[in-house]
Amino acid sequence: MGTKQQLVGLPEDADLRRADSLAREIFSDVANKWALLIIEALGERTLRFSELRAEVEGISHKMLTQNLRMLERNGLLDRKVYPTVPPRVEYTLTEPGRGLRATVDAMCGWTHRNLSHIENARGRFDA
């Protein structure tokens, strides 16, 4: 998000605190569990739709489709269609998508490092 000083000189669209900013819209798009899991699953690989669905356990066909379209719209993945019958479609992260993946990897690492702490806190809270 950044402090007000860090935002000086940036357009209003870059301010996550503003409800009408493009930055908040993009943040809202990519900060959902399915988008993060898709980005993590793709990594440095190119995968087909069915491979992605197998990698992201629990995602429905509809949710995978919606999130792939959103990630493509935001320039975070490339979709390549091959003119075969049936059509073959492959997905690959773009450079910005790979940059975001570094953040997703850090979040995954944080989750693994803090899992027992969070489980203990939940146990105390729910007791």
Side-chain angles (χ1 to χ4, degrees):
M1 242 188 264
T3 66
K4 283 191 179 195
Q5 282 182 321
Q6 291 171 320
L7 295 172
V8 171
L10 290 177
E12 290 180 346
D13 268 352
D15 189 348
L16 283 172
R17 296 169 299 177
R18 291 179 52 97
D20 63 343
S21 75
L22 178 59
R24 186 180 284 190
E25 181 185 333
I26 294 165
F27 186 79
S28 178
D29 280 351
V30 299
N32 78 71
K33 71 178 178 182
W34 297 124
L36 297 174
L37 291 170
I38 291 165
I39 290 166
E40 183 63 23
L42 278 170
E44 297 295 323
R45 305 180 293 171
T46 297
L47 296 174
R48 296 176 67 177
F49 185 93
S50 59
E51 294 170 324
L52 267 170
R53 189 154 181 219
E55 287 281 327
V56 182
E57 190 173 315
I59 194 168
S60 68
H61 186 280
K62 179 182 175 181
M63 288 309 306
L64 181 55
T65 299
Q66 287 177 351
N67 277 275
L68 288 170
R69 286 180 181 160
M70 174 273 299
L71 291 168
E72 181 181 14
R73 178 177 182 255
N74 285 312
L76 300 174
L77 66 77
D78 282 326
R79 176 178 180 264
K80 185 168 183 179
V81 181
Y82 295 90
T84 60
V85 178
R88 189 175 95 215
V89 182
E90 294 180 340
Y91 300 90
T92 308
L93 291 177
T94 61
E95 188 62 37
R98 287 190 297 275
L100 180 56
R101 180 174 171 252
T103 301
V104 173
D105 286 347
M107 291 172 62
C108 290
W110 175 89
T111 303
H112 292 135
R113 287 188 306 276
N114 292 285
L115 194 58
S116 63
H117 172 80
I118 294 167
E119 285 178 322
N120 291 336
R122 285 182 173 191
R124 287 188 307 275
F125 186 87
D126 294 341

